[in-house]
Each structure stands twice: as C-alpha cells, then as structure tokens.
Amino acid sequence: MAHAQEIQLQIRGIPDEESVHEDARDEPKAAMRRSTRVSFRWWMTVVVDMLMVLCGTTVATLLGRLYYNSGGNSKWMATLTQSGGSPLLVVPLLMTPAPSAEERRPAVSKMLAVYTGVGVMIGFDNLMYSYALQYLPVSTFSLVAATQLGFNAITSRLINAQRFTALIANSVVVLTFSAALLGVGSSSDETSSDVPRGKYPVGFVLVLAASAVFALILSLFELTFEKVIRVRTARWVLRMQMYTNLVASAVSVVGLLASGDWRTIPGEMASFKDGRARYVLTLVGTAVSWQAAAVGVVRLIMRVSSLFANVTCTLALPLVPVFAVVLFRDRMTGIKVVAMLMAVWGFLSYMHQHYIDGRRAGNAECHVCATRARSDAVLPA
C-alpha cells in the first residue's frame, strides 16, 4: 500500500518525504562545494596580484640602486621612473570591457580633485624614496621601508576603520624596533663605497617619511573606492593608477626642468657604466617594474584592503637585502640579520591575524574579503 502511494506521488510530480530529506542533506554540501570553488578562484587572483607586487617591487628597487651605482645621479630622473611608465596602462585599459549603462559614474570634479591631490602626494613621495635610495645601501633602505606596514596600520584605523588587534599592534611594534635597530647600527653602512658619507641620517629620516606618506596614499586609495567610486572593476583600477601616476609624472618633469637636472642627462648617459643602451634599459626596466607593482597593489586594495596590500609590499622588502648582498656586495651585518628576522616576524604576525579573521568568517577569505563579496560590484580577474 505504501509503495503504491509512493508511485502515485512520483506520477504526480510530488517528491516523497525521504527524497526531501536527502535533498536537504545534499544542499549544504553543494553550497560548500560552490563556496570552495569561489574561494579557490578568489585566492588564485590574489596570489597573482601578490606576485606582481613582490616581483615588481624587488626588481624596481634593485634597478633603482643599479642606476646610482652605475653613474646615475639625477634624483628627479629616478623619481620620474617610478611613475613615468603609467602611459603603458593605456593598452590594458583599452582591452577592458566598456562600462555598462547602469554603472555608477562619480562626479568628474571629485575625481579630478582625487587624481590631482593623490598624484601630487605620489610625486613627492617618490622623490623622498629617490633621495633615500641614494643615501642608504639598498639592504638598509628596504628594511627601514618595512615600517610602512606600521604606518599603514595606523592610517587604516583612522581613515578606513580597520580593526586594530593585539597581533596587528605587535606587528607595528616589531617593525618599529626593526627600523630603530638599523638606526643604531648605522656606522657600518656609512663605510660603503657606494653611499655618500654623512648622508645616512638624512636617508634614514627620508625613507621613514616616505613610508608614512605611502601608507597614507594607500588608505586614501581605499577610501576613494569606498566613498567616491563605489564600484570595483578592472577599468577603474587602471584608471585610478594611470591618472594619479600621470599627475605624479608631471610633478617629476616640472622638478626635472626647474632643478636644471635635465642639462646633466646627456653627460650622465655618456658616462653611464656599460654605455647608453644600459642607461636606457635600466630606466625603462625600473619604470615597467614599478607600474607592475603598482597595479598589483591597487588590485589588492580593491580585493582585500590597503593594509593587506601593504603587508604584501612588506613581504618583498626582506627579499631585497639578499639580492643586494649578491649583486651590490652590501655588507650583511648581524644587526641587519636581526632586523630582517624582526621584519619577517612582523609580517607573520599580521598574516596570523588574517588567518584568524578567515576562521571567524567561516570561509577561506578574511572578514574584510567577505564584506567585499557582499557588495554589488565585483572586480573581475
């Protein structure tokens, strides 16, 4: 009798009680599989962005030091290479899909103010980095620049309402002590033949100031996307990066002309080690590397947060001293080794906080990422 009722229910298209229970049991598993696939794709795109930042930052920093070591001396030319590659972004910008008719468009006046203000900040921040890179060995420069993560933790808290936990506070303190340790042990670096004598304190202060400004710029990028643009597309990532860097390039060109450095370029090119071709290749390689790193940074800001983007930048910094010892014969003293280990510890401290946020969110993404996923617009891969 029960079997006959089951057959009648199937003929009528009504599921029996057992099949309903089976579907109810399978639904969470299907949702978990979908969540896993989405999470895997998300992490793959994040890893690609991180590799762009790591490779771009490392190569650009080493080429920047090579420029000075091989005879280059123009601070404004070195500054221009950090933003001068922005016209290259026109190519991927033209390949992105056209915006839909429903896409929200921010006011032109607001975006012009953002492009100009942030672009000018980037231009002078690049100038401070250029001076610091000439006045410090590249290994010391990179380790002190790791303090940008600490500065960004503060700006993210004040501007972007980022949670400031004990682990993040530990990361800030450790990175601060790492930089202070290098400041105390400066005497061994001042003996380097490639570093101007007596300029170490100036370079140290400049790289600290540049790191603080860089942290502020990242937080302003995140604030702009949250409050002004309010969409997350590849097109806006490229626009934001290209237009702000064009303004920064204009600042560099004005500085190059006003300072008279442009008159020294022909002689600098002629006296450059291994000739003019290497001079051009060094500058072009530096410009392309900085743009690759910058695009990766902006994409990470969009996908996660400005703090996560800065953590990735910080991860690249301990790699530079290793290459600097091999390529430029920088002295790897005991103080530098301890400072490097402290920088890595600060990075791991933040990443552990990221892992805890992911566990609390109940999936592979951090809490910030889960919030991003609930927004209307999603940045494509």
Side-chain angles (χ1 to χ4, degrees), residues 320-359:
V320 176
V322 177
F323 290 100
V325 171
V326 177
L327 298 176
F328 305 127
R329 302 191 183 280
D330 280 6
R331 295 182 60 185
M332 183 55 73
T333 62
I335 290 178
K336 286 186 182 180
V337 172
V338 174
M340 185 187 303
L341 293 175
M342 291 177 71
V344 173
W345 177 259
F347 167 77
L348 293 177
S349 179
Y350 174 79
M351 289 306 295
H352 185 60
Q353 179 63 58
H354 186 70
Y355 170 75
I356 292 175
D357 287 343
R359 293 293 298 270

Short mmCIF file of all heavy atoms in Angstrom, two decimals, residues 320-359:
data_model
loop_
_atom_site.label_atom_id
_atom_site.label_comp_id
_atom_site.label_asym_id
_atom_site.label_seq_id
_atom_site.Cartn_x
_atom_site.Cartn_y
_atom_site.Cartn_z
N VAL A 320 64.88 41.88 -0.76
CA VAL A 320 65.83 42.76 -1.44
C VAL A 320 67.23 42.68 -0.85
O VAL A 320 68.21 42.61 -1.60
CB VAL A 320 65.30 44.21 -1.42
CG1 VAL A 320 66.32 45.16 -2.04
CG2 VAL A 320 63.98 44.30 -2.19
N PRO A 321 67.42 42.71 0.50
CA PRO A 321 68.77 42.64 1.02
C PRO A 321 69.55 41.39 0.59
O PRO A 321 70.77 41.45 0.42
CB PRO A 321 68.56 42.65 2.54
CG PRO A 321 67.27 43.35 2.74
CD PRO A 321 66.43 42.95 1.56
N VAL A 322 68.84 40.29 0.42
CA VAL A 322 69.52 39.06 -0.01
C VAL A 322 70.12 39.25 -1.40
O VAL A 322 71.29 38.91 -1.65
CB VAL A 322 68.53 37.87 0.00
CG1 VAL A 322 69.22 36.61 -0.52
CG2 VAL A 322 67.97 37.65 1.39
N PHE A 323 69.33 39.82 -2.33
CA PHE A 323 69.84 40.09 -3.67
C PHE A 323 70.90 41.19 -3.65
O PHE A 323 71.84 41.17 -4.45
CB PHE A 323 68.70 40.49 -4.60
CG PHE A 323 67.76 39.38 -4.95
CD1 PHE A 323 66.54 39.25 -4.31
CD2 PHE A 323 68.11 38.43 -5.90
CE1 PHE A 323 65.68 38.21 -4.62
CE2 PHE A 323 67.25 37.39 -6.22
CZ PHE A 323 66.03 37.28 -5.57
N ALA A 324 70.75 42.15 -2.72
CA ALA A 324 71.71 43.26 -2.65
C ALA A 324 73.10 42.77 -2.25
O ALA A 324 74.11 43.29 -2.73
CB ALA A 324 71.22 44.31 -1.66
N VAL A 325 73.16 41.78 -1.37
CA VAL A 325 74.46 41.23 -0.97
C VAL A 325 75.15 40.59 -2.17
O VAL A 325 76.36 40.72 -2.37
CB VAL A 325 74.27 40.20 0.16
CG1 VAL A 325 75.57 39.45 0.44
CG2 VAL A 325 73.78 40.89 1.43
N VAL A 326 74.38 39.91 -3.01
CA VAL A 326 74.95 39.21 -4.17
C VAL A 326 75.30 40.19 -5.29
O VAL A 326 76.40 40.13 -5.87
CB VAL A 326 73.97 38.14 -4.69
CG1 VAL A 326 74.53 37.46 -5.93
CG2 VAL A 326 73.68 37.12 -3.61
N LEU A 327 74.38 41.11 -5.59
CA LEU A 327 74.56 41.99 -6.75
C LEU A 327 75.42 43.20 -6.46
O LEU A 327 76.23 43.62 -7.31
CB LEU A 327 73.19 42.44 -7.26
CG LEU A 327 72.24 41.33 -7.75
CD1 LEU A 327 70.89 41.92 -8.13
CD2 LEU A 327 72.86 40.60 -8.94
N PHE A 328 75.25 43.82 -5.28
CA PHE A 328 75.96 45.07 -4.97
C PHE A 328 76.98 44.93 -3.86
O PHE A 328 77.58 45.92 -3.45
CB PHE A 328 74.93 46.15 -4.58
CG PHE A 328 73.85 46.36 -5.60
CD1 PHE A 328 72.51 46.32 -5.25
CD2 PHE A 328 74.17 46.61 -6.93
CE1 PHE A 328 71.51 46.51 -6.20
CE2 PHE A 328 73.18 46.80 -7.89
CZ PHE A 328 71.86 46.75 -7.52
N ARG A 329 77.13 43.70 -3.34
CA ARG A 329 78.10 43.42 -2.29
C ARG A 329 77.87 44.28 -1.04
O ARG A 329 78.82 44.74 -0.40
CB ARG A 329 79.53 43.60 -2.81
CG ARG A 329 79.85 42.73 -4.01
CD ARG A 329 81.32 42.71 -4.36
NE ARG A 329 81.56 41.93 -5.57
CZ ARG A 329 81.63 40.61 -5.62
NH1 ARG A 329 81.48 39.92 -4.51
NH2 ARG A 329 81.87 39.98 -6.75
N ASP A 330 76.58 44.51 -0.73
CA ASP A 330 76.25 45.16 0.53
C ASP A 330 76.71 44.28 1.69
O ASP A 330 76.70 43.04 1.59
CB ASP A 330 74.74 45.40 0.64
CG ASP A 330 74.29 46.61 -0.13
OD1 ASP A 330 75.13 47.21 -0.83
OD2 ASP A 330 73.10 46.96 -0.03
N ARG A 331 77.07 44.91 2.78
CA ARG A 331 77.50 44.15 3.96
C ARG A 331 76.27 43.66 4.72
O ARG A 331 75.41 44.46 5.12
CB ARG A 331 78.35 45.04 4.87
CG ARG A 331 79.68 45.47 4.25
CD ARG A 331 80.47 46.29 5.24
NE ARG A 331 80.75 45.53 6.45
CZ ARG A 331 81.36 46.05 7.52
NH1 ARG A 331 81.71 47.31 7.53
NH2 ARG A 331 81.58 45.30 8.58
N MET A 332 76.19 42.36 4.92
CA MET A 332 75.09 41.78 5.69
C MET A 332 75.58 41.55 7.12
O MET A 332 76.12 40.49 7.47
CB MET A 332 74.62 40.47 5.06
CG MET A 332 73.43 39.83 5.77
SD MET A 332 72.00 40.93 5.92
CE MET A 332 71.41 40.97 4.24
N THR A 333 75.43 42.59 7.95
CA THR A 333 75.91 42.53 9.32
C THR A 333 74.91 41.78 10.20
O THR A 333 73.78 41.50 9.80
CB THR A 333 76.10 43.95 9.87
OG1 THR A 333 74.83 44.62 9.87
CG2 THR A 333 77.08 44.74 9.00
N GLY A 334 75.36 41.48 11.42
CA GLY A 334 74.48 40.81 12.37
C GLY A 334 73.25 41.63 12.69
O GLY A 334 72.15 41.10 12.86
N ILE A 335 73.42 42.96 12.75
CA ILE A 335 72.28 43.84 13.04
C ILE A 335 71.25 43.75 11.92
O ILE A 335 70.04 43.71 12.17
CB ILE A 335 72.77 45.30 13.22
CG1 ILE A 335 73.56 45.41 14.53
CG2 ILE A 335 71.60 46.27 13.22
CD1 ILE A 335 74.12 46.79 14.79
N LYS A 336 71.71 43.69 10.67
CA LYS A 336 70.78 43.58 9.55
C LYS A 336 70.03 42.25 9.57
O LYS A 336 68.84 42.19 9.24
CB LYS A 336 71.52 43.75 8.22
CG LYS A 336 71.93 45.17 7.91
CD LYS A 336 72.53 45.26 6.52
CE LYS A 336 72.98 46.67 6.21
NZ LYS A 336 73.57 46.78 4.86
N VAL A 337 70.74 41.19 9.94
CA VAL A 337 70.09 39.88 10.01
C VAL A 337 68.98 39.89 11.05
O VAL A 337 67.86 39.41 10.81
CB VAL A 337 71.12 38.78 10.32
CG1 VAL A 337 70.42 37.45 10.59
CG2 VAL A 337 72.11 38.62 9.17
N VAL A 338 69.28 40.46 12.23
CA VAL A 338 68.27 40.54 13.29
C VAL A 338 67.10 41.41 12.84
O VAL A 338 65.93 41.07 13.05
CB VAL A 338 68.89 41.08 14.59
CG1 VAL A 338 67.81 41.31 15.64
CG2 VAL A 338 69.94 40.12 15.12
N ALA A 339 67.41 42.54 12.18
CA ALA A 339 66.35 43.43 11.71
C ALA A 339 65.49 42.74 10.66
O ALA A 339 64.26 42.92 10.63
CB ALA A 339 66.97 44.71 11.13
N MET A 340 66.12 41.94 9.79
CA MET A 340 65.36 41.21 8.77
C MET A 340 64.43 40.19 9.42
O MET A 340 63.26 40.08 9.03
CB MET A 340 66.32 40.50 7.81
CG MET A 340 65.63 39.81 6.64
SD MET A 340 66.75 38.81 5.64
CE MET A 340 67.95 40.03 5.15
N LEU A 341 64.93 39.47 10.41
CA LEU A 341 64.10 38.49 11.10
C LEU A 341 62.93 39.16 11.82
O LEU A 341 61.81 38.65 11.84
CB LEU A 341 64.95 37.69 12.09
CG LEU A 341 66.02 36.77 11.47
CD1 LEU A 341 66.86 36.13 12.56
CD2 LEU A 341 65.36 35.70 10.61
N MET A 342 63.19 40.34 12.38
CA MET A 342 62.12 41.07 13.05
C MET A 342 61.08 41.54 12.04
O MET A 342 59.87 41.53 12.32
CB MET A 342 62.70 42.27 13.81
CG MET A 342 63.54 41.88 15.02
SD MET A 342 64.29 43.30 15.84
CE MET A 342 62.84 44.06 16.59
N ALA A 343 61.54 41.97 10.84
CA ALA A 343 60.59 42.39 9.80
C ALA A 343 59.71 41.22 9.36
O ALA A 343 58.50 41.37 9.15
CB ALA A 343 61.35 42.97 8.61
N VAL A 344 60.33 40.03 9.20
CA VAL A 344 59.56 38.84 8.83
C VAL A 344 58.57 38.48 9.94
O VAL A 344 57.42 38.11 9.68
CB VAL A 344 60.51 37.66 8.54
CG1 VAL A 344 59.73 36.38 8.32
CG2 VAL A 344 61.37 37.96 7.31
N TRP A 345 59.02 38.61 11.20
CA TRP A 345 58.13 38.32 12.33
C TRP A 345 56.94 39.28 12.33
O TRP A 345 55.79 38.86 12.58
CB TRP A 345 58.89 38.44 13.63
CG TRP A 345 58.03 38.23 14.85
CD1 TRP A 345 57.50 39.20 15.66
CD2 TRP A 345 57.56 36.99 15.35
NE1 TRP A 345 56.74 38.64 16.66
CE2 TRP A 345 56.76 37.27 16.49
CE3 TRP A 345 57.74 35.66 14.97
CZ2 TRP A 345 56.16 36.27 17.24
CZ3 TRP A 345 57.13 34.67 15.72
CH2 TRP A 345 56.36 34.97 16.83
N GLY A 346 57.18 40.54 12.05
CA GLY A 346 56.08 41.49 11.98
C GLY A 346 55.09 41.13 10.89
O GLY A 346 53.88 41.23 11.07
N PHE A 347 55.61 40.69 9.73
CA PHE A 347 54.75 40.27 8.63
C PHE A 347 53.91 39.04 9.02
O PHE A 347 52.70 39.00 8.80
CB PHE A 347 55.60 39.95 7.40
CG PHE A 347 54.86 39.22 6.32
CD1 PHE A 347 54.00 39.90 5.48
CD2 PHE A 347 55.04 37.85 6.14
CE1 PHE A 347 53.31 39.22 4.48
CE2 PHE A 347 54.35 37.18 5.15
CZ PHE A 347 53.49 37.87 4.32
N LEU A 348 54.56 38.04 9.61
CA LEU A 348 53.85 36.82 10.01
C LEU A 348 52.81 37.11 11.08
O LEU A 348 51.75 36.47 11.11
CB LEU A 348 54.85 35.77 10.51
CG LEU A 348 55.81 35.21 9.45
CD1 LEU A 348 56.79 34.24 10.09
CD2 LEU A 348 55.04 34.52 8.34
N SER A 349 53.09 38.08 11.94
CA SER A 349 52.12 38.45 12.97
C SER A 349 50.84 38.96 12.34
O SER A 349 49.73 38.58 12.76
CB SER A 349 52.73 39.52 13.89
OG SER A 349 51.80 39.92 14.88
N TYR A 350 50.97 39.81 11.33
CA TYR A 350 49.77 40.30 10.65
C TYR A 350 49.06 39.18 9.91
O TYR A 350 47.83 39.09 9.93
CB TYR A 350 50.12 41.42 9.69
CG TYR A 350 48.91 41.85 8.88
CD1 TYR A 350 47.95 42.69 9.43
CD2 TYR A 350 48.69 41.35 7.60
CE1 TYR A 350 46.82 43.05 8.73
CE2 TYR A 350 47.55 41.70 6.89
CZ TYR A 350 46.63 42.55 7.46
OH TYR A 350 45.50 42.88 6.75
N MET A 351 49.81 38.31 9.21
CA MET A 351 49.20 37.23 8.46
C MET A 351 48.43 36.27 9.38
O MET A 351 47.42 35.70 8.99
CB MET A 351 50.25 36.47 7.66
CG MET A 351 50.81 37.25 6.48
SD MET A 351 49.52 37.86 5.36
CE MET A 351 48.85 36.33 4.74
N HIS A 352 48.94 36.09 10.61
CA HIS A 352 48.21 35.23 11.55
C HIS A 352 46.87 35.87 11.92
O HIS A 352 45.86 35.17 12.06
CB HIS A 352 49.05 35.01 12.81
CG HIS A 352 48.43 34.05 13.78
ND1 HIS A 352 48.14 32.75 13.46
CD2 HIS A 352 48.02 34.21 15.08
CE1 HIS A 352 47.59 32.14 14.50
NE2 HIS A 352 47.51 33.02 15.48
N GLN A 353 46.86 37.19 12.05
CA GLN A 353 45.59 37.88 12.29
C GLN A 353 44.64 37.69 11.11
O GLN A 353 43.44 37.50 11.28
CB GLN A 353 45.85 39.38 12.51
CG GLN A 353 44.59 40.19 12.75
CD GLN A 353 43.87 39.77 14.03
OE1 GLN A 353 44.45 39.80 15.11
NE2 GLN A 353 42.62 39.35 13.91
N HIS A 354 45.20 37.73 9.91
CA HIS A 354 44.41 37.49 8.69
C HIS A 354 43.80 36.09 8.72
O HIS A 354 42.63 35.89 8.36
CB HIS A 354 45.31 37.66 7.48
CG HIS A 354 44.59 37.59 6.17
ND1 HIS A 354 43.73 38.56 5.71
CD2 HIS A 354 44.60 36.64 5.19
CE1 HIS A 354 43.25 38.23 4.54
NE2 HIS A 354 43.76 37.06 4.20
N TYR A 355 44.58 35.10 9.16
CA TYR A 355 44.10 33.72 9.26
C TYR A 355 42.97 33.61 10.29
O TYR A 355 41.95 32.96 10.06
CB TYR A 355 45.26 32.81 9.66
CG TYR A 355 44.85 31.40 10.03
CD1 TYR A 355 44.49 30.48 9.05
CD2 TYR A 355 44.82 31.00 11.36
CE1 TYR A 355 44.10 29.20 9.39
CE2 TYR A 355 44.45 29.72 11.71
CZ TYR A 355 44.09 28.82 10.72
OH TYR A 355 43.71 27.55 11.07
N ILE A 356 43.13 34.29 11.42
CA ILE A 356 42.09 34.27 12.45
C ILE A 356 40.80 34.88 11.93
O ILE A 356 39.70 34.36 12.16
CB ILE A 356 42.58 35.01 13.71
CG1 ILE A 356 43.71 34.22 14.38
CG2 ILE A 356 41.43 35.22 14.70
CD1 ILE A 356 44.33 34.94 15.55
N ASP A 357 40.92 36.00 11.20
CA ASP A 357 39.73 36.62 10.61
C ASP A 357 39.03 35.67 9.66
O ASP A 357 37.80 35.63 9.59
CB ASP A 357 40.11 37.91 9.88
CG ASP A 357 40.47 39.04 10.83
OD1 ASP A 357 40.11 38.94 12.01
OD2 ASP A 357 41.13 40.00 10.39
N GLY A 358 39.83 34.90 8.89
CA GLY A 358 39.25 33.95 7.96
C GLY A 358 38.48 32.84 8.66
O GLY A 358 37.40 32.44 8.24
N ARG A 359 39.03 32.38 9.78
CA ARG A 359 38.34 31.33 10.54
C ARG A 359 37.04 31.85 11.14
O ARG A 359 36.02 31.16 11.16
CB ARG A 359 39.25 30.82 11.67
CG ARG A 359 40.48 30.07 11.18
CD ARG A 359 40.10 28.75 10.52
NE ARG A 359 39.43 27.87 11.46
CZ ARG A 359 40.04 26.99 12.23
NH1 ARG A 359 41.37 26.87 12.17
NH2 ARG A 359 39.37 26.21 13.05
#
